[in-house]
Amino acid sequence: MTYSEAIDYLYNSLPVFQKEGMSAYKPGLGTSIALDDLFGNPHRKYKTVHIAGTNGKGSTAHTLAAVLQSAGYKVGLYTSPHLFDFRERIRINGEKIPHEAVVSFVERWLEYYKEDKYKSLSPSFFELTSTMAFEYFAAEKVDVAIIETGLGGRLDSTNIITPVLSVITNISLDHTSLLGDTIPKIAFEKAGIIKHGIPVVIGERQEETVQVFETKAKSEDAELIYASPVKSEISEDGIIYKDTPYGDFIGELKGEYQIKNTATVIASLAQLEKCGFDITAKSVSEGFKNVTWLTHLMGRWTTIGENPKTLCDTGHNVGGWKYITDQLDNYKSGTVHLIIGFAADKDIMPVLRLIAGISTPVRLYFSSPSVKRGLNADALAEKAKELGLDGVIIPDVNEALTMAKRNADPINDMILIAGSNFLIANLKI
C-alpha cells in the first residue's frame, strides 16, 4: 500500500465529519474503546494532557507542547483538523508522523478488518486516526502527549484517556445541532473530559458555565482551577507578558485572543509542575517565543505576506470572530480587505453581524471552501446582503487573494483571509 492509497482509504472509505458534517458524526466511546483494546491500549503507556473548548484549544495545545519541548520532554501532539497535510494532526516534537507509519497502521487495521469479529466496528475517520495517534506516540515512547478533542468532550473519541491534567479553554455557541443550543448544554458536553481525581483548568470563568463545571468537578472529586488574567502589552514582535509566575516573556502568537490562551497555558503549566514536570522560566520563554517553529502551528493570526500585510486566521465561529473583529477595530491604518468563507452547517449570521459592526473600512470578498461542507459563495453573499454587507463574489480563495492584492494599498492596507479551516487549507502558500 502506498501513502496516497492509505489516505484515500481514510478519507473515502470512512465517514469524515470535517468533509460531510452531521452525517459522519458518531457519538459514543464504544468503537474507540474496542479499537484501543485491539491495538494494545497504547495511550496508557505515557502521560497525557486532554484539552477541550470551543475556541483556543489548538493554540493552547501547541503552546503547551512548545513549552514542554523546550523543557526537554519528548512531546506528542494530536490536533484537528489539518490545513494542508493529514500528517499535521499527529506530531512528535513538531515533526509530522512519517508516511510509512500511516501506511503501516492502515495496513494492520485492514488485516484486522478482514476478520468477521471486527467488521462490526466500522470506525469513523476520527476514531481510527485517534487510535493511530495513540499507537504512534506509544511506539515512539513519548514522555507526554497533548491531546485535543475533536468535537465536544463527553462522547469524543479521545475521551478514553485518563490524563494527568484536563483543560477546558472556553465555551461559546458552535456545533449547536450536535452539542446543544445553549452555553450550559455545550459546557456539559465539554465537562465530560473531567475525570475522577484529575485536576482541571478552566481558561475563562463564564457566568453561564460556572455551575456546570463546578458540579461536574465536585462529582468527580477533581480540583477545579480557573486561570488568572495576565498582564500584557502588544508589540510588533508579539505580545509581551509581564509579572507571570515565570517572569516576563514574549508570546510569538499574535491576536488579542491569545492573551486569554496564555492565561490558560500558565495555569496549566503550574498544575503540570505539581504532577512532576520540570518547567523553568527559560523553557516557558523559549516555548512561547518559538511556538510556530517548534510545533509548526499555522492559521492563528498568521502572517503569510507583506506589502500589503497579509494574514490568515481560522476563526470559524462567533466566539473566534469576536476576537477577530475586536482586532480589526483596532486597525487604524487603511482598509481591511477581508476574504471570508464558511462551512454550510454553521450559523454564520452572528458572525456576519460582527463583521457589519467593524469600525475600520472593510472591503469584502466572498469565497467558499472547496469541500462538500463548504457554503456556496453566492449563498454567503446573499446572507451578508441581509445585513447590508456588499462585496465581490470569488469562490476560489486564491483568486480572491490575487484580486485583494491588486486592490490593496501595499503600505496602508491589510488583507485577512478568515473563516473555515478548509478555506485556509485551500490557500496556495
Side-chain angles (χ1 to χ4, degrees):
M1 174 180 276
T2 66
Y3 175 72
S4 60
E5 289 171 338
I7 291 298
D8 181 69
Y9 170 77
L10 290 173
Y11 274 100
N12 297 317
S13 300
L14 305 173
V16 183
F17 178 82
Q18 277 80 12
K19 288 172 60 179
E20 301 172 26
M22 286 184 61
S23 63
Y25 178 55
K26 187 180 174 187
L29 301 179
T31 300
S32 294
I33 292 169
L35 286 170
D36 188 57
D37 290 341
L38 182 60
F39 284 89
N41 309 118
H43 67 87
R44 298 179 185 175
K45 299 175 182 177
Y46 45 86
K47 295 178 180 178
T48 57
V49 176
H50 205 190
I51 302 180
T54 306
N55 292 296
K57 60 182 184 290
S59 296
T60 299
H62 281 78
T63 305
L64 276 173
V67 171
L68 290 170
Q69 282 175 237
S70 298
Y73 294 99
K74 188 174 186 179
V75 185
L77 179 61
Y78 180 54
T79 59
S80 62
H82 63 270
L83 289 179
F84 305 108
D85 180 351
F86 165 81
R87 297 181 303 130
E88 295 168 21
R89 295 168 177 258
I90 304 170
R91 296 181 183 271
I92 295 178
N93 284 4
E95 297 301 317
K96 294 178 285 190
I97 182 172
H99 293 92
E100 54 268 28
V102 176
V103 172
S104 172
F105 179 85
V106 173
E107 286 180 334
R108 284 179 287 125
W109 158 246
L110 288 174
E111 283 299 312
Y112 284 126
Y113 197 54
K114 288 178 182 177
E115 301 180 36
D116 290 340
K117 61 181 177 179
Y118 297 123
K119 286 191 179 296
S120 61
L121 285 180
S122 299
S124 69
F125 170 89
F126 193 73
E127 287 169 332
L128 198 60
T129 54
S130 295
T131 306
M132 182 192 299
F134 295 159
E135 195 207 36
Y136 177 62
F137 295 153
E140 294 298 316
K141 297 181 171 58
V142 300
D143 297 310
V144 58
I146 313 298
I147 307 296
E148 179 190 28
T149 59
L151 181 64
R154 182 174 64 94
L155 301 176
D156 187 76
S157 303
T158 64
N159 204 29
I160 62 173
I161 67 175
T162 300
V164 297
L165 176 67
S166 301
V167 180
I168 302 174
T169 56
N170 57 45
I171 306 296
S172 65
L173 295 174
D174 195 19
H175 298 298
T176 53
S177 60
L178 301 173
L179 302 180
D181 57 2
T182 68
I183 296 295
K185 287 179 181 178
I186 295 174
F188 174 80
E189 294 299 325
K190 308 288 186 182
I193 72 165
I194 299 174
K195 303 292 198 307
H196 184 75
I198 305 299
V200 54
V201 167
I202 307 297
E204 294 182 37
R205 188 184 181 98
Q206 300 167 263
E207 184 178 345
E208 293 177 272
T209 66
V210 167
Q211 184 175 354
V212 176
F213 290 145
E214 293 188 352
T215 298
K216 177 64 173 176
K218 185 176 181 180
S219 72
E220 295 291 348
D221 194 24
E223 182 184 4
L224 186 70
I225 304 100
Y226 287 102
S228 299
V230 293
K231 295 179 182 178
S232 61
E233 178 183 311
I234 295 176
S235 72
E236 283 295 316
D237 297 325
I239 301 176
I240 303 170
Y241 297 101
K242 299 181 177 181
D243 302 328
T244 80
Y246 302 98
D248 297 355
F249 56 84
I250 294 179
E252 174 194 20
L253 299 184
K254 299 178 181 179
E256 291 183 22
Y257 53 84
Q258 294 296 347
I259 296 170
K260 291 186 177 180
N261 292 338
T262 294
T264 307
V265 172
I266 289 173
S268 299
L269 292 172
Q271 291 305 308
L272 289 175
E273 285 194 84
K274 293 180 181 180
C275 295
F277 286 87
D278 184 13
I279 298 165
T280 64
K282 181 180 179 181
S283 61
V284 172
S285 177
E286 289 298 311
F288 269 88
K289 186 170 62 177
N290 300 294
V291 175
T292 56
W293 182 73
L294 289 167
T295 70
H296 304 287
L297 173 67
M298 278 197 64
R300 307 306 195 276
W301 205 256
T302 303
T303 299
I304 59 173
E306 299 287 351
N307 301 318
K309 186 79 168 180
T310 305
L311 304 101
C312 65
D313 196 291
T314 53
H316 58 279
N317 57 44
V318 68
W321 271 91
K322 178 64 172 66
Y323 295 123
I324 290 173
T325 53
D326 284 349
Q327 192 98 345
L328 294 179
D329 275 332
N330 291 326
Y331 183 74
K332 304 300 182 185
S333 182
T335 297
V336 174
H337 296 258
L338 182 56
I339 302 169
I340 57 174
F342 301 93
D345 54 2
K346 296 283 186 180
D347 179 11
I348 63 164
M349 292 307 288
V351 171
L352 293 174
R353 289 189 190 97
L354 288 172
I355 293 172
I358 297 172
S359 58
T360 302
V362 173
R363 187 166 182 174
L364 276 172
Y365 304 76
F366 300 111
S367 190
S368 177
S370 63
V371 294
K372 185 176 179 180
R373 285 177 62 203
L375 177 64
N376 180 279
D378 292 288
L380 174 58
E382 283 297 315
K383 289 177 180 288
K385 189 176 290 186
E386 295 177 26
L387 298 175
L389 291 170
D390 292 315
V392 182
I393 299 171
I394 308 179
D396 186 294
V397 67
N398 292 290
E399 292 179 9
L401 179 55
T402 298
M403 177 175 281
K405 287 179 178 178
R406 191 163 57 239
N407 292 337
D409 180 293
I411 304 301
N412 297 314
D413 290 0
M414 178 176 78
I415 300 171
L416 174 63
I417 308 101
S420 169
N421 287 277
F422 302 106
L423 184 76
I424 308 305
N426 289 152
L427 285 169
K428 296 175 182 177
I429 56 175

